[in-house]
């Protein structure tokens, strides 16, 4: 059972979060409609009184001190979270520049500092507060008729943080954040923060929690740049993965509030039916964030969230939804294997705490070995001659396509069938023509294997003196002072050299010394600032090196390899601009 102190710390976190957003609004002088409403509310809050409310039932002086420190900690953490959240949100939209901020206005901002949010130290009454916060829409008559409908569970007046933004009178955004504290569940989690080892243990626990989450936990729903159709069955999946102590549950709750608010805006005529709105729903806790960005065309996603939270799935419904999702997965797996039902059921029947053996065999009739001989009739269809293995026939087709007038060639085939080898052999055979071979993969070792295809057997020498091979990776760039840096291999050059802005390091020399720049900057005697990482990206470095080699007429036969894991979006664009 979640203890009362966990609920109280959650309220402090919520109060701090909303104060942080208000501070950001004031810092940037953003126009708004709430005037002095929240200043007056904050003037009524007394943190010492809130502390006494939290600790009044704690008898031990030490435990009382511990609870007070945790209270201060969560208030501060909430403030910094809210401040940074709204700052980064403005940066992500590009509205944070001074000339753009004057076109931005907050039509509605909803948060609460009274009643339960004040831990009972400042009471105003639910109805009074709702009337005051809705007074930001000054043209609405008879506000009370809407309060009765929208104050119930799942409706927007229950939202922790709700903002309606308008930019240049035409662009609208609804931001809804649902907040919670998950790191403190019971009073036993409130430990003494005076001990360094306890802090280490808390940090280790949170880090282990984040590490335990799979890569799929970082997925986001974003429909801003394209139209996506969502199945009606999405509700069963949302319900199946709903947990009380997960950010995903907070996300579903925030999405439901955003949908309720949009209904209210349409009903009162604040937004026209054809208004283009972007919804940002965020489940925000003290240990993680879940978010989704939805266009008004995909409003059904938020409607699903509203239905799930409004009618709050019972444990039985959640259990049924999980069985339904599992059955869908099972049925799909059944079709993927010969005698699939028998195979999958035997996996699901595995017992815990003992060794289980599951055996499955099947014959793939359509499989063809890559070293098998290609049938004569297929060779005739492909326009090839002779008796060759599949790998060699595939290579002949690649060379035939490369020698044609085709502008683009898309190669498919199993790993190891020889796609890249065929291209490397073709380029070596056409060394006189000149070429740029640019190869991208997520692994450094694959790139080194590509380079070996242009080398003589058992030597470091390239197959031709005219070849110039380069590659790079993030550690190499950081160790070289975060400048444009690549490794190179050439028969005609040795040693490190610099060409325009790019450092070329001989890959045959392994005595690379680390020269990583110091990120710490001492501002004053007692203040040290982390200046962050200021380094050239791998795609930036490799493309700058390619451009330099071409412009300086250094080589007409360039092989460039680079390792990247993702396409990164930044304020200045994305990483593909370097390639262009």
């Amino acid at each position: 059972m979640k203890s009362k102190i966990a609920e109280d710390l959650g309220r402090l976190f919520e109060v701090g979060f909303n104060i942080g957003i208000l501070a950001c609004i004031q810092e940037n002088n953003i126009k708004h409609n709430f005037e002095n409403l929240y200043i007056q509310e904050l003037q009524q809050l007394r943190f010492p009184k809130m502390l006494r409310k939290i600790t009044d039932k704690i008898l031990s002086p030490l435990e009382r001190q511990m609870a007070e420190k945790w209270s201060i900690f969560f208030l501060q953490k909430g403030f910094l979270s809210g401040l940074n959240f709204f700052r980064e949100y403005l940066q992500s939209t590009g509205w944070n520049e001074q000339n753009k901020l004057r076109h931005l206005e907050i039509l509605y901002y909803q948060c609460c500092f009274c009643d339960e949010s004040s831990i009972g130290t400042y009471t105003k009454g639910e109805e009074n507060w709702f009337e005051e916060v809705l007074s930001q829409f000054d043209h609405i008559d008879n506000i009370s008729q809407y309060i009765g409908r929208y104050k119930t569970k799942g409706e927007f007046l229950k939202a922790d943080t709700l903002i309606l933004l308008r930019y240049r009178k035409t662009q609208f955004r609804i931001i809804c954040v649902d907040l919670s504290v998950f790191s403190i569940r019971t009073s036993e989690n409130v430990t003494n923060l005076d001990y360094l080892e306890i802090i280490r243990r808390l940090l280790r626990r949170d880090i282990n929690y984040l590490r335990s989450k799979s890569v799929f936990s970082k997925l986001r729903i974003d429909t801003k740049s394209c139209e996506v159709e969502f199945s009606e069955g999405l509700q069963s999946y949302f319900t199946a993965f709903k947990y009380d102590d997960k950010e995903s549950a907070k996300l579903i709750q925030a999405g439901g509030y955003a949908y309720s608010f949009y209904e209210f805006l349409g009903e009162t005529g604040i937004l026209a039916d054809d208004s283009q709105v972007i919804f940002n729903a965020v489940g925000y806790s003290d240990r993680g964030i879940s978010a989704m960005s939805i266009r008004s065309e995909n409003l059904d996603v938020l409607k699903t969230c509203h239905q799930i939270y409004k009618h709050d799935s019972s444990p039985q419904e959640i259990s049924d939804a999980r069985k339904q999702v599992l059955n869908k997965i099972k049925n799909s797996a059944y079709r993927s294997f010969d005698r699939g039902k028998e195979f999958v059921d035997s996996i699901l029947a595995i017992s815990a705490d003992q060794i289980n053996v599951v055996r499955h065999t099947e014959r793939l009739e359509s499989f063809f070995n890559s070293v098998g001989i290609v049938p004569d009739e297929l060779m005739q269809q492909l326009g090839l001659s002779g008796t060759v293995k599949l790998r060699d026939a595939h290579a002949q087709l690649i060379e035939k396509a490369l020698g044609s007038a085709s502008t683009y060639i898309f190669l498919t085939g199993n790993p190891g069938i020889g796609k890249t080898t065929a291209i490397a052999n073709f380029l070596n055979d056409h060394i006189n023509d000149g070429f740029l071979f640019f190869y991208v993969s997520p692994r450094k070792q694959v790139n080194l294997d590509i380079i070996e295809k242009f080398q003589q057997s058992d030597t470091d020498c390239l197959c031709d003196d005219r070849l110039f091979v380069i590659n790079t990776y993030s550690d190499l760039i950081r160790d070289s002072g975060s400048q444009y840096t690549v490794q190179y291999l050439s028969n005609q050059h040795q040693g490190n050299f610099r060409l325009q802005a790019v450092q070329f390091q001989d890959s045959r020399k392994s005595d690379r010394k680390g020269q990583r720049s110091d990120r710490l900057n001492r501002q004053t005697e007692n203040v040290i600032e982390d200046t962050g990482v200021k380094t050239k990206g791998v795609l930036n470095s490799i493309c700058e090196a390619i451009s330099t080699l071409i412009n300086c007429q250094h080589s007409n036969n360039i092989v460039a390899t680079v390792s990247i894991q993702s396409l990164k979006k930044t304020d200045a664009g994305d990483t593909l601009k370097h390639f262009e």
Side-chain angles (χ1 to χ4, degrees):
M1 183 71 68
K2 186 176 179 181
S3 68
K4 184 179 184 300
I5 192 168
E7 295 177 0
D8 291 338
L9 292 178
R11 292 189 178 100
L12 285 176
F13 183 74
E14 178 187 332
V15 166
F17 189 90
N18 285 305
I19 293 175
I21 292 180
L22 289 169
C24 186
I25 293 171
Q26 184 176 23
E27 174 186 64
N28 291 283
N29 293 317
I30 300 173
K31 288 184 288 186
H32 55 76
N33 288 339
F34 52 82
E35 299 179 346
N36 295 323
L37 172 63
Y38 291 116
I39 292 179
Q40 295 170 359
E41 291 296 302
L42 288 171
Q43 288 173 346
Q44 303 301 318
L45 277 189
R46 297 291 184 268
F47 185 60
K49 289 176 65 177
M50 297 171 74
L51 276 182
R52 286 196 295 272
K53 276 280 189 177
I54 294 173
T55 61
D56 61 358
K57 294 183 180 180
I58 301 176
L59 299 178
S60 166
L62 176 60
E63 290 180 352
R64 191 179 298 113
Q65 289 178 7
M66 288 160 47
E68 288 177 356
K69 286 194 175 182
W70 276 98
S71 299
I72 295 170
F73 169 70
F74 271 108
L75 185 65
Q76 292 175 331
K77 188 172 186 177
F79 173 79
L80 293 174
S81 297
L83 181 68
N84 290 325
F85 170 81
F86 202 61
R87 277 179 179 172
E88 291 168 6
Y89 185 87
L90 294 177
Q91 289 174 2
S92 70
T93 59
W95 298 339
N96 60 316
E97 299 175 11
Q98 198 60 43
N99 63 325
K100 294 182 178 180
L101 280 172
R102 57 192 177 91
H103 299 293
L104 180 65
E105 53 186 325
I106 298 174
L107 301 182
Y108 181 78
Y109 180 82
Q110 174 185 313
C111 64
C112 186
F113 298 118
C114 60
D115 299 320
E116 287 187 353
S117 296
S118 70
I119 316 182
T121 60
Y122 168 45
T123 57
K124 174 170 283 192
E126 198 176 63
E127 296 288 334
N128 292 333
W129 171 243
F130 291 151
E131 284 190 12
E132 289 188 16
V133 76
L134 287 175
S135 65
Q136 295 175 68
F137 299 124
D138 53 11
H139 68 283
I140 299 179
D141 297 325
N142 193 10
I143 288 178
S144 58
Q145 66 174 318
Y146 299 105
I147 293 176
R149 175 182 171 187
Y150 288 105
K151 73 175 184 178
T152 57
K153 179 180 177 179
E155 304 299 344
F156 78 89
L157 287 174
K158 293 291 187 181
D160 296 334
T161 303
L162 184 59
I163 306 174
L164 175 60
L165 290 169
R166 181 171 65 182
Y167 181 71
R168 289 187 179 274
K169 305 293 184 182
T170 57
Q171 300 179 39
F172 295 91
R173 290 191 179 227
I174 293 175
I175 309 169
C176 187
V177 186
D178 198 69
L179 301 154
S180 191
V181 166
F182 289 143
S183 60
I184 300 294
R185 304 297 291 173
T186 67
S187 57
E188 294 177 356
N189 298 135
V190 179
T191 50
N192 196 337
L193 291 176
D194 286 336
Y195 291 98
L196 187 61
E197 188 55 39
I198 290 177
I199 296 175
R200 280 202 191 104
R201 189 164 65 244
L202 293 172
L203 288 172
R204 194 179 301 119
R205 183 192 66 188
D206 286 347
I207 290 171
N208 288 337
Y209 167 77
L210 294 173
R211 283 178 174 172
S212 70
K213 298 167 79 71
S214 72
V215 67
F216 296 104
S217 68
K218 299 175 183 176
L219 293 177
R220 298 289 183 263
I221 299 176
D222 189 344
T223 70
K224 288 189 299 182
S225 56
C226 61
E227 292 188 13
V228 180
E229 295 293 334
F230 288 93
S231 167
E232 293 181 0
L234 187 65
Q235 181 170 348
S236 62
Y237 285 92
F238 272 0
T239 304
F241 298 108
K242 183 176 181 291
Y243 294 86
D244 287 339
D245 62 342
K246 295 290 185 290
E247 289 78 14
S248 55
K250 300 281 105 181
L251 171 62
I252 292 171
Q253 201 166 327
Y257 290 144
Y259 178 79
S260 169
F261 186 50
Y262 184 69
E263 281 193 320
F264 167 78
L265 295 176
E267 184 179 349
T268 54
I270 297 170
L271 283 184
D273 293 338
D274 58 349
S275 297
Q276 293 299 309
V277 184
I278 293 177
F279 301 82
N280 297 111
V282 183
Y284 200 116
S285 82
D286 58 324
R287 68 183 183 192
I289 302 173
S290 287
M292 60 181 168
S293 181
I294 300 291
R295 296 180 69 93
S296 49
E297 297 93 315
N298 302 111
L299 198 61
D300 285 347
V301 178
L302 299 181
K303 185 177 181 180
T304 298
C305 294
H306 183 255
Q307 291 172 347
I308 291 173
Y309 183 67
K310 178 75 175 175
H311 305 292
D312 199 10
S313 309
S314 67
Q316 183 59 42
E317 289 174 331
I318 293 176
S319 177
D320 292 341
R322 289 174 185 169
K323 289 178 182 177
Q324 183 181 348
V325 172
L326 178 60
N327 286 333
K328 290 180 180 178
I329 297 172
K330 284 165 57 178
N331 291 333
S332 178
Y334 289 163
R335 297 189 296 270
S336 301
F337 300 94
D338 185 23
R339 304 186 312 280
K341 187 176 188 307
E342 176 185 337
F343 177 40
V344 173
D345 288 346
S346 62
I347 293 176
L348 294 175
I350 287 176
S351 303
D353 302 323
Q354 67 180 59
I355 296 175
N356 297 266
V357 179
V358 176
R359 291 189 175 92
H360 174 76
T361 59
E362 63 179 280
R363 181 181 181 83
L364 304 178
E365 299 293 344
S366 58
F367 176 78
F368 196 90
N369 197 320
S370 61
V371 295
I373 302 299
V374 180
D376 292 338
E377 60 272 18
L378 182 56
M379 289 290 288
Q380 292 176 4
Q381 292 177 22
L382 297 173
L384 303 176
S385 59
T387 302
V388 296
K389 297 176 181 177
L390 177 62
R391 186 194 300 270
D392 299 327
H394 195 263
Q396 287 184 31
L397 288 172
I398 292 173
E399 293 181 10
K400 186 177 179 181
L402 289 169
S404 69
S406 300
T407 304
Y408 297 103
I409 298 168
F410 296 89
L411 302 182
T412 61
N414 294 336
I417 200 173
K419 301 182 292 294
T420 312
T421 301
I423 292 177
N425 292 339
F426 177 86
L427 294 177
N428 282 321
D429 292 340
H430 293 76
I431 195 77
N432 294 327
D433 297 339
F435 60 80
L436 165 63
F437 180 44
F438 189 84
Y439 189 91
V440 180
S441 84
R443 293 170 51 212
K444 287 188 288 186
Q445 185 57 49
V446 174
N447 296 335
L448 298 178
D449 293 341
I450 295 296
I451 294 173
E452 287 183 2
K453 298 182 186 299
F454 293 91
Q455 290 179 277
Q456 298 174 3
S457 300
D458 303 323
T459 70
D460 286 337
C461 296
L462 296 170
C463 298
D464 192 282
D465 289 344
R466 290 167 287 182
L467 282 167
F468 198 93
V469 178
I470 58 175
N471 76 91
T472 192
Y473 48 93
S474 58
D475 285 346
L476 176 73
I477 297 170
R478 279 196 293 267
D479 288 344
S480 302
S482 300
Q483 301 302 308
Y484 294 121
T485 310
V486 295
Q487 279 186 335
Y488 82 91
L489 184 61
S490 169
N491 293 348
Q492 296 182 332
H493 296 83
Q494 289 186 350
N496 301 341
F497 67 92
R498 187 180 187 87
L499 196 61
Q500 293 185 353
V502 184
Q503 300 180 54
F504 290 83
Q505 295 191 3
D506 193 335
S507 62
R508 288 162 291 203
K509 294 183 177 293
S510 58
D511 57 342
R512 181 163 54 87
K513 296 180 180 179
Q515 300 176 1
R516 299 192 182 184
S517 57
D518 187 4
R519 288 177 49 172
L520 300 180
N521 175 44
R522 183 178 292 278
Q523 289 187 327
T524 66
E525 185 66 27
N526 299 321
V527 177
I528 296 177
E529 178 190 31
D530 180 4
T531 58
V533 179
K534 298 179 181 178
T535 183
K536 303 296 184 184
V538 289
L539 195 59
N540 195 356
S541 281
I542 201 77
C543 291
E544 189 70 24
I546 293 170
S547 176
T548 301
L549 290 173
I550 293 173
N551 291 334
C552 295
Q553 298 183 347
H554 208 75
S555 175
N556 289 332
N557 303 91
I558 302 171
V559 177
T561 69
V562 67
S563 300
I564 59 174
Q565 274 71 42
S566 64
L567 175 67
K568 293 183 179 178
K569 294 282 186 179
T570 65
D571 293 338
D574 57 48
T575 53
L576 282 181
K577 68 177 182 180
H578 305 304
F579 184 65
E580 184 180 352

